[in-house]
Amino acid sequence: MITQPSTPRLLAVIREQLNAIAPTLTDPAAAAGIGMLDRVLLTLEVRAEHEIAWMVEAVDEITSTAKDVIPELAEPQAAQAALDALETGRTGSLHLSDVTAEFNLAGRLLSELLEATAATTGASRDRVMGLLEHRLANEMAVQGADFALVGRD
């Protein structure tokens, strides 16, 4: 019986069952397949636990940085339009599809900020690059720094 039926826990239970079966497999391809499934399920387990929080935090961080950086841009129009679209598109909902839509709008804003600061140096550029580095760090946390295809050399 699963007493804590959260999505991460359900995925962990599936992984436990697959790992119990794995040692009984004699076919190397089947064993590699189980290993790959385990890795995918582990990734999903991490995402299910943190994905909404990471996206909400990223949207807030990008919005805050944009509000500080846009006034300093030589050509702020595209970044301002992306910020306006993000602020208009925010719903306050925590449903995954709504948060993902806002995250995508924030991604467009980040892209505009990167483009607008590409040829510059200084604090604004550093802050925008920090946003990109934070986003990449979250992706690495999901995939794991040691990500590799199981059974592939």
Side-chain angles (χ1 to χ4, degrees), residues 17-47:
Q17 294 302 309
L18 284 174
N19 287 320
I21 295 167
T24 67
L25 299 174
T26 57
D27 178 15
I34 292 289
M36 187 61 116
L37 285 172
D38 180 64
R39 185 61 189 194
V40 169
L41 290 169
L42 176 60
T43 299
L44 291 172
E45 189 178 333
V46 172
R47 287 185 75 103

Side-chain angles (χ1 to χ4, degrees), residues 44 46-56 96 99-100 142:
L44 291 172
V46 172
R47 287 185 75 103
E49 180 65 30
H50 303 287
E51 188 168 35
I52 290 176
W54 283 336
M55 287 191 287
V56 168
L96 182 58
V99 173
T100 301
V142 170

Side-chain angles (χ1 to χ4, degrees), residues 8-130:
R9 182 64 189 131
L10 293 172
L11 292 166
V13 169
I14 294 168
R15 288 184 61 233
E16 290 167 8
Q17 294 302 309
L18 284 174
N19 287 320
I21 295 167
T24 67
L25 299 174
T26 57
D27 178 15
I34 292 289
M36 187 61 116
L37 285 172
D38 180 64
R39 185 61 189 194
V40 169
L41 290 169
L42 176 60
T43 299
L44 291 172
E45 189 178 333
V46 172
R47 287 185 75 103
E49 180 65 30
H50 303 287
E51 188 168 35
I52 290 176
W54 283 336
M55 287 191 287
V56 168
E57 290 164 4
V59 169
D60 290 345
E61 185 178 22
I62 292 167
T63 302
S64 175
T65 300
K67 287 178 179 180
D68 292 343
V69 169
I70 287 173
E72 300 172 5
L73 297 176
E75 295 184 27
Q77 298 84 351
Q80 185 63 55
L83 176 60
D84 293 344
L86 172 59
E87 290 184 324
T88 300
R90 294 194 83 170
T91 66
S93 167
L94 291 178
H95 290 279
L96 182 58
S97 59
D98 295 331
V99 173
T100 301
E102 292 176 20
F103 183 73
N104 290 337
L105 290 170
R108 179 172 164 246
L109 174 55
L110 176 56
S111 177
E112 294 295 347
L113 291 171
L114 286 165
E115 188 171 324
T117 60
T120 66
T121 59
S124 291
R125 173 72 175 161
D126 292 344
R127 288 189 67 193
V128 172
M129 288 306 294

Side-chain angles (χ1 to χ4, degrees), residues 1-6 9:
M1 172 187 236
I2 301 172
T3 59
Q4 298 173 333
S6 68
R9 182 64 189 131

Side-chain angles (χ1 to χ4, degrees), residues 112-152:
E112 294 295 347
L113 291 171
L114 286 165
E115 188 171 324
T117 60
T120 66
T121 59
S124 291
R125 173 72 175 161
D126 292 344
R127 288 189 67 193
V128 172
M129 288 306 294
L131 292 172
L132 181 60
E133 290 167 7
H134 189 224
R135 179 177 248 184
L136 294 174
N138 279 347
E139 289 177 12
M140 288 303 296
V142 170
Q143 293 180 4
D146 62 341
F147 180 78
L149 294 176
V150 175
R152 311 281 193 258

